[in-house]
Amino acid sequence: MANNLEQPFIRPSPPMPTPLLCRHLPVSLHSQANAFYRQHGSAMKARPVHQVWVAGASNISACLCIQPVADHHGYWLTSLFVDPAARRRGLAQQLLREVRLAVTGPIWLFCRPELSSLYRRQGYLIAESLPISLGSKLARYKREKQLIALVHQG
């Protein structure tokens, strides 16, 4: 007679992911963001005028920089970079949400057309018009690359 007392197979629970912390870096720690950019061969740079936001458990896995628009029309998202090994895990969306909650007014950005769906899922729309200071920047940047302007009105 077969022994029916065998334990059913119980699949172990996957390990809980380490929570990803989104945080604002004070200017005194911008060097951490710049080290992250250099580590990945990015030309991006955190400058004193930027508000720098990072995401990651123990190390920086993603970094976003915004700065006030010169003519007081909200903020300009100047850079968003995610470690290639950490992409497709929602880090960019998490940073975009945190920053949107932290600042008031519109957030403007320029991106390559193939990246627009990332931002559109977060509520960004094609910018019909730009503040003067951003319009001149976009015209200059478009001489070298194809970019579109998006805005989140908040």
Side-chain angles (χ1 to χ4, degrees):
M1 188 168 193
N3 183 350
N4 289 334
L5 298 176
E6 291 181 26
Q7 292 289 329
F9 176 73
I10 298 174
R11 179 173 293 153
S13 299
M16 291 298 291
T18 306
L20 293 173
L21 183 64
C22 284
R23 61 197 181 280
H24 175 256
L25 281 185
V27 173
S28 62
L29 297 178
H30 281 193
S31 60
Q32 292 178 4
N34 290 329
F36 169 73
Y37 288 141
R38 280 191 309 276
Q39 173 187 357
H40 295 287
S42 172
M44 296 175 184
K45 185 168 178 155
R47 302 187 190 291
V49 68
H50 290 151
Q51 283 188 32
V52 178
W53 294 78
V54 296
S58 56
N59 294 319
I60 296 174
S61 296
C63 187
L64 179 152
C65 296
I66 61 170
Q67 72 181 52
V69 174
D71 32 12
H72 309 288
H73 284 88
Y75 291 86
W76 177 31
L77 194 160
T78 61
S79 62
L80 172 56
F81 184 84
V82 178
D83 178 340
R87 290 182 181 163
R88 302 191 117 10
R89 297 183 189 168
L91 292 175
Q93 291 88 345
Q94 192 173 350
L95 277 172
L96 289 166
R97 276 192 303 271
E98 289 291 324
V99 169
R100 179 68 276 171
L101 292 171
V103 301
T104 58
I107 300 175
W108 308 86
L109 64 90
F110 309 147
C111 70
R112 296 188 318 262
E114 63 270 20
L115 294 175
S116 67
S117 63
L118 163 76
Y119 296 105
R120 293 184 81 135
R121 285 191 301 269
Q122 296 300 311
Y124 286 80
L125 303 171
I126 298 290
E128 299 297 328
S129 62
L130 292 169
I132 294 168
S133 62
L134 292 182
S136 60
K137 284 181 182 11
L138 180 61
R140 190 172 65 245
Y141 296 163
K142 285 176 90 171
R143 291 183 204 143
E144 298 177 15
K145 42 185 142 175
Q146 187 178 8
L147 294 172
I148 59 172
L150 301 175
V151 63
H152 192 298
Q153 291 295 342

